[in-house]
Amino acid sequence: MEDPSSPTTITLRPFRTTDVDDFISWVGDDRVTRWIRWSTITSKEEVLTFIKEVCIPHPWRRSICVDDRSIGFISVFPGSGDDRCKADIGYGLAVKYWGQGITTRAVKMALSQVFKDFPGIIRLQAFTDVENKASQRVLEKAGFVKEGHLRKYTYIKGDLKDLFVYSFLSTDTVPHPLDP
Ligand SMILES: CC(C)(COP(=O)(O)OP(=O)(O)OC[C@H]1O[C@@H](n2cnc3c(N)ncnc32)[C@H](O)[C@@H]1OP(=O)(O)O)[C@@H](O)C(=O)NCCC(=O)NCCS
């Protein structure tokens, strides 16, 4: 029998066109898209196009999965030219799975993979809305260092936002996914 106290097993894998129905259950939810640049998408056709044209060709976008079914995403977008030393990380999770440590585990899993997949990347950076406490906590638990407060830094969905910037270097120690 499964131990009810044991954490849900999660995996990270590339998106597939067959993820449409699972994908729409979270990308169609304003509570998930509120803090990210993605629009809320509620049409199956638009989700399919988004998976095909944006998610699959993305340099490193993974579906966070339970039982191989998509419950969220984690993306790493590498810079180029003089910014080739760094990449931006972002994520989102279906509301029903919030508060179980799943995104923190997914971020830790991504950390151990992306520095292998992109040996030129020395710095992973994340930007969070100053009001997005859950995302800040995820980054802290995953070992990111908070570097600063960027005042009136960018527009997100029409609102001018203050952001915090965090970083994790390839020389930092990646915490074990199941460590608190
Ligand atoms: C941010 C997000 C991915 C977190 O996912 P999650 O799987 O619930 O995260 P975890 O369970 O790993 O950790 C969340 C932490 O934030 C804490 N938290 C959640 N809401 C909080 C709040 N309002 N104030 C303070 N802490 C909060 C939780 O208690 C937990 O910390 P703890 O383990 O110390 O108790 C999820 O809320 C989400 O999808 N948000 C919308 C998309 C988004 O914001 N993406 C990030 C953009 S930068």
Side-chain angles (χ1 to χ4, degrees):
M1 207 174 112
E2 200 173 309
D3 174 2
S5 65
S6 69
T8 310
T9 301
I10 60 161
T11 51
L12 305 184
R13 62 153 171 78
F15 280 97
R16 305 173 186 140
T17 53
T18 48
D19 288 326
V20 173
D21 289 329
D22 295 325
F23 198 110
I24 208 167
S25 71
W26 49 268
V27 82
D29 187 337
D30 290 335
R31 292 170 294 177
V32 177
T33 55
R34 172 182 171 199
W35 303 104
I36 57 179
R37 291 189 189 275
W38 298 24
S39 301
T40 303
I41 319 178
T42 52
S43 128
K44 260 191 168 187
E45 202 184 339
E46 281 179 47
V47 168
L48 182 59
T49 305
F50 186 69
I51 293 176
K52 273 191 198 159
E53 294 183 3
V54 181
C55 296
I56 292 175
H58 191 284
W60 203 97
R61 174 164 293 166
R62 299 289 183 263
S63 172
I64 304 173
C65 295
V66 170
D67 294 332
D68 205 38
R69 295 188 62 170
S70 182
I71 62 161
F73 78 96
I74 181 158
S75 303
V76 171
F77 193 83
S80 57
D82 288 349
D83 285 326
R84 65 190 179 281
C85 56
K86 61 186 175 230
D88 291 349
I89 185 166
Y91 39 77
L93 194 75
V95 173
K96 116 181 213 206
Y97 293 95
W98 285 7
Q100 300 175 33
I102 290 179
T103 306
T104 304
R105 265 189 284 146
V107 169
K108 291 173 182 173
M109 288 160 74
L111 288 175
S112 45
Q113 195 55 49
V114 292
F115 291 120
K116 289 182 196 143
D117 292 349
F118 301 104
I121 290 177
I122 311 299
R123 171 189 167 91
L124 263 184
Q125 58 187 17
F127 298 87
T128 71
D129 191 308
V130 295
E131 292 170 20
N132 191 349
K133 303 291 178 205
S135 181
Q136 292 158 34
R137 192 69 195 114
V138 164
L139 295 166
E140 283 157 13
K141 289 192 290 178
F144 280 68
V145 172
K146 187 177 182 176
E147 293 181 326
H149 183 156
L150 306 168
R151 297 183 299 162
K152 306 291 177 211
Y153 189 67
T154 190
Y155 283 95
I156 299 182
K157 300 188 168 150
D159 293 327
L160 186 55
K161 293 290 191 181
D162 279 25
L163 303 182
F164 288 137
V165 58
Y166 289 79
S167 73
F168 191 101
L169 302 186
S170 57
T171 46
D172 291 339
T173 305
V174 177
H176 187 278
L178 291 178
D179 282 353

